[in-house]
Amino acid sequence: MAGNFWQSSHYEEWILDKQDLSAKRKSDLQHLTEEEYQKIIILFANFIQALGESVKLRQQIIATATVYFKRFYSRNSLKCVDPSLMSPTCLLLAMKVEEYGPTLSNKIMTSCTNLTKGKFQYAFKQEYPYRLVNVLECEFILLEMMDCCLIVYHPYRPLTEYCAELNDDSILPLAWRIVNDSLRTDACLLYPPYLIAIAAMHLACVMLKKDCQKWFAELSVDFDMILEITQLLLTLYDLWRDGYDEKRDIYAILEKMPKAKTNPVAPRS
């Protein structure tokens, strides 16, 4: 792994511009509202999380898979590859990149079937249609699209270091959960991970009523960006707070989603 974020492919290739990101979604937004699009991305981030937890993967592997998923659809329409196929593909690739030892391919495919029949039955009304061979084909498409730029820097390490500097153990657990929540937003596509870590800490301090303004004031960072990340998180929390019921609402939204072919088709260059 590149030792320096600023010299990595993550920084050079995968910190995206908001306008470019919006332009790439234009075809999907002919069928969906922006909020509906985000609800679909949240659903599959939740699906990847549940899939990883079902085979007891570390959070960093799950986070890497979620970033891969978001990177793919930042440059491709939802109809290019079925997100329910891309989800296990991202997870299996993340396991390889993060050098996770055991091969769990068959267990993950079994979990896909079990989750779509069980926990996520409200979203997937039909039997899970894909097999391992489909995932392996899809992996080539994912690798090609990312140009083999597979290194992902996460906010977890800087978050841990910043909390140690602050010398307050009570902030880390909540800030860690906020970082996990940030994977349901566009933050990982738009901002460096250390800024996401600071935004999560700042929001955690507000929620816990901790006065850490002096520590934050001494940081040499762009606080406009911190506020932008915070706004993304608050928008997510407003969605959850204002009565959005994924179990009740998501199936109708998925019916509006542009449909992919059952077998993956490589996107046009």
Side-chain angles (χ1 to χ4, degrees), residues 177-242:
R177 291 198 296 273
I178 293 171
V179 166
N180 290 343
D181 290 341
S182 76
L183 292 168
R184 276 78 179 158
T185 75
D186 289 333
C188 65
L189 298 173
L190 298 172
Y191 303 98
Y194 79 97
L195 290 180
I196 299 172
I198 294 170
M201 283 183 66
H202 187 264
L203 196 51
C205 287
V206 171
M207 291 178 174
L208 295 170
K209 296 181 170 59
K210 299 276 187 180
D211 184 5
C212 302
Q213 290 303 313
K214 182 179 178 181
W215 185 85
F216 286 106
E218 292 174 353
L219 297 174
S220 298
V221 296
D222 185 339
F223 269 92
D224 286 339
M225 287 189 174
I226 301 297
L227 292 174
E228 289 172 8
I229 298 167
T230 301
Q231 188 56 55
L232 286 175
L233 287 161
L234 292 176
T235 300
L236 174 68
Y237 295 149
D238 285 344
L239 177 69
W240 288 341
R241 185 192 63 197
D242 291 344

Side-chain angles (χ1 to χ4, degrees), residues 109-152:
M109 298 313 297
T110 299
S111 289
C112 283
T113 300
N114 292 340
L115 286 169
T116 54
K117 285 182 177 179
K119 183 176 181 179
F120 290 89
Q121 186 180 21
Y122 59 87
F124 305 101
K125 301 296 186 181
Q126 299 177 343
E127 185 174 346
Y128 189 73
Y130 302 110
R131 299 295 177 262
L132 183 58
V133 63
N134 303 119
V135 170
L136 297 177
E137 291 171 1
C138 189
E139 186 177 283
F140 283 107
I141 295 171
L142 178 61
L143 284 167
E144 181 182 11
M145 189 283 305
M146 293 199 297
D147 197 23
C148 295
C149 296
L150 304 178
I151 299 303
V152 178

